[in-house]
Amino acid sequence: MLKAGRPQEEMRRHNLGALLRQVHLGGPISRAELAERMGLNRSTIMALTAELTSAGLVREELPKENGKAGRPSLVVRPESERVYVLAFDVRVDRLVAARVGLGGTILDRREAVRARAGADLDDVVGVLAEFGRQMDGGASPGSVCVGVGAAYCGMIRPGDGTVRFGPNMGWVDQAFGAELGVRLGLGLPVSVGNEAHLGALAEHERGVGIGHRNLVYLHGDVGVGGGIIVGGKLLDGDGGYGCELGHMIVNPYDGRPCGCGSRGCLEAEVGEQALFDAAGRSGLMGREGVRAVVDAAEGGDVVAREALHRIGDWLGIGVANLINLFNPGLVIFGGMLREIYRGSAAQIHDRVAANVLVISRERVRLRTAALGDDATLVGGAELAFSKVLANPLEVLAEATADPVAGEREALTRTTS
Amino acid sequence: MLKAGRPQEEMRRHNLGALLRQVHLGGPISRAELAERMGLNRSTIMALTAELTSAGLVREELPKENGKAGRPSLVVRPESERVYVLAFDVRVDRLVAARVGLGGTILDRREAVRARAGADLDDVVGVLAEFGRQMDGGASPGSVCVGVGAAYCGMIRPGDGTVRFGPNMGWVDQAFGAELGVRLGLGLPVSVGNEAHLGALAEHERGVGIGHRNLVYLHGDVGVGGGIIVGGKLLDGDGGYGCELGHMIVNPYDGRPCGCGSRGCLEAEVGEQALFDAAGRSGLMGREGVRAVVDAAEGGDVVAREALHRIGDWLGIGVANLINLFNPGLVIFGGMLREIYRGSAAQIHDRVAANVLVISRERVRLRTAALGDDATLVGGAELAFSKVLANPLEVLAEATADPVAGEREALTRTTS
């Protein structure tokens, strides 16, 4: 419902955010191109750019010589070194942290490989917070952190970043987001999202999904998750727990047991353990293990090849169901499913041809994630950037203010 | 992208449409209540109501005595007799047509039961156009038809209402919407939608789904279709062909053949033929046949009961998959699936309990369609009303103008 109020002020904020988003996602861009893409006239673009420049979010430069005559349009660039976020990615076998500049540049990064079992909240948050503080401390003077985002391999309550269910790490109702925020001590809240949701957002904004309004992203870690973009937006459902395509039943008769307690879930039939069991490779583990099986199949190993065909057939059923349901333009295989797709694309395509309605598959394409293993981390960074893109000047002003003074003021507001 | 332009004018049109929608969907409502619901002040409501009243879309009346002291707030009512749409519903075994007044009142209605095979475009359009002209001719003088909508049991191209695929009637690429528009001769375009999409919209706006932002509607006719509301909007996908939940593979091993050419689709396992085969009732057909099997099971017929348990188990797998994917607040069983649900609710609930992630089923409810067999027809009417609700004054002015003059003017515009 549009309310009578301050439409001019809201439009200005909206346009500032939209311009900053263009520069953040599209990279250096001329004022002329911005005017064209945003449907605004040049003088409006100039005014908006001036505001963002004086806030230190973008800068304007003369473009490199292009050989054309006449005065060139100034190019607007994100202030990537000055304005950044911290992004974290909690995978089953690895913790990743990065400092990411406006525009999406990874300025700094840390990784810790870890044992699969027994990592509790305290351990994980301890490692991530230490990484975060190191990277924040290494930022150049005058630069400013405008957000913190984290991807986690489990079901996340959107409001407070609580991990409701992280089966592969044995977490139930752990206050991950709140705890990480406290341990970082930056005075910033931590936004947390499901890793596959964030991988989908990242591929949609910066990867192979750019320009698609409807896409399905399947993410393989140890389990299988999903992120589905419907009409340009992530499908979240009533509680934020949508897109659990890994728990679609594909094998109702003699299905393998799944970590969720059910049987025959897509995750149980195409997850890494299903592959290792089918290939008779009990000693393997993780992304490297999956790669080894696919390499063996390509090298002529019959058992490995049959294992991949079996996995590909189950995966194909799942993909066919998803195309019938979502009529997407694109299906993306991310995480370890990139390897699986390399080894079983033919089976997946066969299932799509056999089981998807002709009209629903007229225009769909199947692709692997363009951002590779970084899709989920990049998604965490984009989650962290979302506030400053929604309201650039105010969020930057808050982030730049003395945090202790800020807390004092917040306290006064609360108690008065 | 918000453009600089005429924000006041756009806001006025938006608010007029929003107010008319309140009255259309919610029924008679006081100005005070409108002000509260729309977050606008009373003087704005009064001005908007005055415009809609003078256009003849609503009228204001004193409410009935409520026993309270003081001056009562005027009640705003839709002009149901004066402003109407024509709605059509093409089911496999029946053609339905109705004249529906603003506010959703069915003012007039016609039905033709028909043989299942062999109805071609010309037959169907002929019957519907005749019904439409009869009902339009019966409308009181001074009343105005503001739209035409139709629900069809097949895949529809949104732009022009072409039936791309109607397997149960053997239609492929038939220009249904255009042809019906010509044969009606009212000078109005015909909007066509898939029956299950429209059933979902109807239940969302006027049925058991009111207030739900995420719901799954399963519709059984001869086949099984779906309409899924994601974040308050119908999931349509890239081409408008989304929600084909009837072609989700649930039985990959010994699945029954499906009308789509595949095997083991939800539709093949839970459609009416699957039920009649499982119950050993080859002579039955249609909604009455399904009802007979469910009645027999309730009366103690063991074969009928086992047939329903089998169907309910497959349906439960489909429903579980959909809850995991969509995290909806509500799953609705419509069309003949209302009967199936009555006969196999226990099996469906068992599958949901066994196969849906605990967190994803925390708040979901399973219900039957509140609008009963009229859900798809009501959806067709709402599709027809959508234009006048988006832009009340202009659409009404166009509909009221002399249609021949209007066509002449359109021709002039095109050729100049």
Side-chain angles (χ1 to χ4, degrees):
Chain A
M1 202 68 50
L2 291 179
K3 291 194 185 192
R6 301 206 189 185
Q8 302 292 19
E9 183 52 36
E10 269 176 39
M11 191 183 299
R12 176 173 152 273
R13 182 160 55 215
H14 173 91
N15 285 337
L16 283 168
L19 197 158
L20 189 60
R21 178 177 292 275
Q22 290 283 348
V23 175
H24 173 62
L25 293 178
I29 179 173
S30 72
R31 283 189 199 160
E33 179 72 19
L34 280 168
E36 167 118 8
R37 287 204 201 165
M38 296 176 63
L40 295 173
N41 61 42
R42 286 211 193 190
S43 64
T44 307
I45 295 291
M46 204 186 301
L48 294 168
T49 309
E51 285 202 80
L52 294 175
T53 302
S54 98
L57 286 157
V58 303
R59 65 177 187 279
E60 293 182 277
E61 287 178 356
L62 279 171
K64 289 183 189 134
E65 288 294 331
N66 60 5
K68 289 188 197 157
R71 209 175 63 179
S73 179
L74 286 174
V75 163
V76 184
R77 294 178 174 273
E79 284 280 13
S80 301
E81 296 285 336
R82 180 171 183 264
V83 180
Y84 65 88
V85 298
L86 296 178
F88 301 98
D89 187 11
V90 181
R91 301 184 201 160
V92 178
D93 64 353
R94 166 175 327 244
L95 300 175
V96 189
R99 193 163 69 82
V100 181
L102 189 68
T105 317
I106 294 183
L107 302 167
D108 195 356
R109 120 179 241 153
R110 304 275 191 286
E111 273 193 48
V113 178
R114 64 198 186 81
R116 287 201 170 177
D120 66 9
L121 179 69
D122 201 53
D123 294 340
V124 169
V125 167
V127 172
L128 294 180
E130 177 59 25
F131 282 168
R133 284 193 306 268
Q134 284 172 10
M135 294 189 300
D136 195 63
S140 48
S143 60
V144 54
C145 181
V146 294
V148 186
Y152 182 92
C153 51
M155 300 175 86
I156 310 300
R157 183 160 60 208
D160 63 1
T162 292
V163 174
R164 295 290 315 279
F165 185 48
N168 293 308
M169 295 173 68
W171 287 19
V172 173
D173 291 331
Q174 298 283 307
F176 171 61
E179 198 61 32
L180 181 56
V182 168
R183 296 279 284 274
L184 277 169
L186 301 173
L188 287 169
V190 177
S191 302
V192 186
N194 167 275
E195 61 175 352
H197 289 189
L198 294 179
L201 285 173
E203 288 292 330
H204 183 235
E205 295 188 340
R206 297 191 171 277
V208 71
I210 290 175
H212 282 272
R213 287 187 56 75
N214 300 282
L215 66 82
V216 175
Y217 173 81
L218 296 102
H219 185 81
D221 190 352
V222 172
V224 172
I228 302 170
I229 306 288
V230 173
K233 284 188 181 160
L234 181 74
L235 188 171
D236 50 6
D238 263 15
Y241 307 116
C243 307
E244 286 289 348
L245 54 86
H247 299 285
M248 182 164 46
I249 307 287
V250 290
N251 187 354
Y253 285 113
D254 59 350
R256 294 167 53 93
C258 182
C260 73
S262 178
R263 301 183 79 92
C265 296
L266 183 65
E267 163 169 323
E269 302 298 340
V270 311
E272 64 171 54
Q273 200 53 53
L275 178 68
F276 299 149
D277 288 354
R281 307 270 192 127
S282 57
L284 295 180
M285 201 188 255
R287 206 80 38 112
E288 293 71 25
V290 174
R291 204 168 294 135
V293 175
V294 178
D295 288 345
E298 285 184 349
D301 181 322
V302 176
V303 178
R305 197 179 289 170
E306 282 179 4
L308 277 162
H309 291 185
R310 183 188 156 83
I311 300 291
D313 193 51
W314 288 121
L315 186 54
I317 291 176
V319 168
N321 288 350
L322 293 164
I323 297 174
N324 278 325
L325 281 169
F326 292 98
N327 185 209
L330 189 69
V331 176
I332 307 171
F333 299 91
M336 74 92 174
L337 291 179
R338 285 179 295 144
E339 303 296 332
I340 299 284
Y341 183 73
R342 178 160 67 95
S344 62
Q347 284 66 40
I348 297 170
H349 284 269
D350 282 354
R351 276 290 180 183
V352 169
N355 298 136
V356 177
L357 294 159
V358 174
I359 292 166
S360 303
R361 64 179 147 87
E362 277 173 341
R363 296 214 176 94
V364 69
R365 295 285 172 271
L366 277 55
R367 295 282 182 270
T368 53
L371 302 169
D373 278 334
D374 276 347
T376 48
L377 180 72
V378 170
E382 292 307 318
L383 184 62
F385 276 119
S386 57
K387 279 179 199 157
V388 77
L389 295 176
N391 190 0
L393 304 186
E394 279 182 38
V395 170
L396 191 76
E398 270 176 35
T400 317
D402 170 13
V404 179
E407 275 169 32
R408 220 164 27 227
E409 194 196 328
L411 198 67
T412 314
R413 274 202 302 271
T414 314
T415 55
S416 67
Chain B
M1 200 72 46
L2 291 179
K3 290 196 187 191
R6 301 205 189 189
Q8 301 292 18
E9 186 52 37
E10 268 176 38
M11 193 183 297
R12 175 173 153 274
R13 180 159 59 213
H14 173 92
N15 285 337
L16 283 168
L19 196 158
L20 189 60
R21 177 176 292 274
Q22 290 283 346
V23 175
H24 172 64
L25 293 178
I29 179 173
S30 72
R31 283 190 198 159
E33 180 72 18
L34 280 168
E36 167 121 6
R37 286 203 202 165
M38 296 176 61
L40 296 172
N41 60 43
R42 287 210 190 190
S43 63
T44 306
I45 295 291
M46 203 185 301
L48 294 168
T49 308
E51 286 202 80
L52 293 175
T53 301
S54 99
L57 286 156
V58 304
R59 66 179 187 278
E60 294 183 278
E61 288 178 351
L62 280 170
K64 291 183 187 131
E65 288 291 331
N66 61 6
K68 287 188 197 159
R71 211 175 62 179
S73 179
L74 286 174
V75 164
V76 185
R77 292 177 175 276
E79 284 280 14
S80 302
E81 297 286 336
R82 181 171 183 265
V83 180
Y84 65 88
V85 298
L86 295 179
F88 301 98
D89 188 11
V90 181
R91 301 184 200 161
V92 177
D93 64 353
R94 164 176 328 244
L95 300 174
V96 190
R99 194 164 67 82
V100 182
L102 190 68
T105 316
I106 294 183
L107 302 168
D108 195 355
R109 130 178 231 147
R110 304 278 191 283
E111 272 193 48
V113 177
R114 64 197 185 83
R116 288 205 172 175
D120 66 7
L121 178 69
D122 201 53
D123 294 340
V124 169
V125 167
V127 173
L128 294 180
E130 177 58 26
F131 282 169
R133 282 192 307 268
Q134 284 171 10
M135 294 190 299
D136 195 62
S140 47
S143 61
V144 54
C145 181
V146 295
V148 185
Y152 183 93
C153 52
M155 299 174 87
I156 309 300
R157 182 160 59 207
D160 62 2
T162 292
V163 174
R164 295 289 316 278
F165 185 49
N168 293 308
M169 296 173 68
W171 287 19
V172 173
D173 290 332
Q174 298 284 308
F176 171 62
E179 199 58 34
L180 181 56
V182 168
R183 296 279 284 276
L184 277 168
L186 300 174
L188 287 169
V190 178
S191 302
V192 186
N194 167 276
E195 61 174 353
H197 288 189
L198 294 179
L201 285 174
E203 288 292 330
H204 183 234
E205 295 188 340
R206 296 191 171 277
V208 71
I210 291 175
H212 282 273
R213 288 188 54 75
N214 299 282
L215 66 82
V216 175
Y217 172 81
L218 296 100
H219 185 80
D221 192 352
V222 173
V224 172
I228 302 170
I229 305 286
V230 173
K233 286 188 180 159
L234 180 74
L235 188 170
D236 50 6
D238 263 17
Y241 307 114
C243 306
E244 285 290 348
L245 54 85
H247 299 285
M248 180 162 49
I249 307 287
V250 290
N251 187 355
Y253 284 113
D254 59 352
R256 293 167 54 92
C258 182
C260 73
S262 179
R263 301 184 79 92
C265 296
L266 182 67
E267 164 169 323
E269 303 297 340
V270 312
E272 65 172 55
Q273 201 52 52
L275 178 68
F276 299 150
D277 288 353
R281 306 269 192 127
S282 57
L284 296 180
M285 202 188 255
R287 206 80 40 111
E288 294 69 25
V290 174
R291 204 169 293 133
V293 176
V294 177
D295 288 345
E298 284 184 349
D301 182 321
V302 177
V303 177
R305 195 179 291 169
E306 281 179 6
L308 277 162
H309 289 186
R310 184 188 154 83
I311 300 290
D313 193 49
W314 288 122
L315 186 53
I317 290 177
V319 169
N321 288 350
L322 293 164
I323 298 174
N324 278 325
L325 281 170
F326 292 98
N327 185 209
L330 189 68
V331 176
I332 306 171
F333 299 91
M336 74 90 176
L337 291 180
R338 285 177 297 143
E339 303 296 334
I340 300 285
Y341 184 74
R342 178 160 69 92
S344 61
Q347 283 67 39
I348 297 170
H349 284 270
D350 282 354
R351 275 290 180 183
V352 169
N355 298 134
V356 178
L357 294 159
V358 174
I359 292 166
S360 302
R361 64 179 147 88
E362 277 174 341
R363 297 213 176 93
V364 69
R365 294 286 171 270
L366 276 55
R367 295 282 182 272
T368 53
L371 302 170
D373 278 334
D374 276 348
T376 48
L377 180 72
V378 170
E382 292 308 319
L383 184 61
F385 277 119
S386 56
K387 279 179 200 156
V388 76
L389 295 176
N391 190 1
L393 304 187
E394 280 181 36
V395 170
L396 191 75
E398 270 174 35
T400 316
D402 170 12
V404 179
E407 272 168 36
R408 223 169 19 233
E409 194 195 330
L411 198 66
T412 315
R413 272 203 303 269
T414 313
T415 54
S416 66

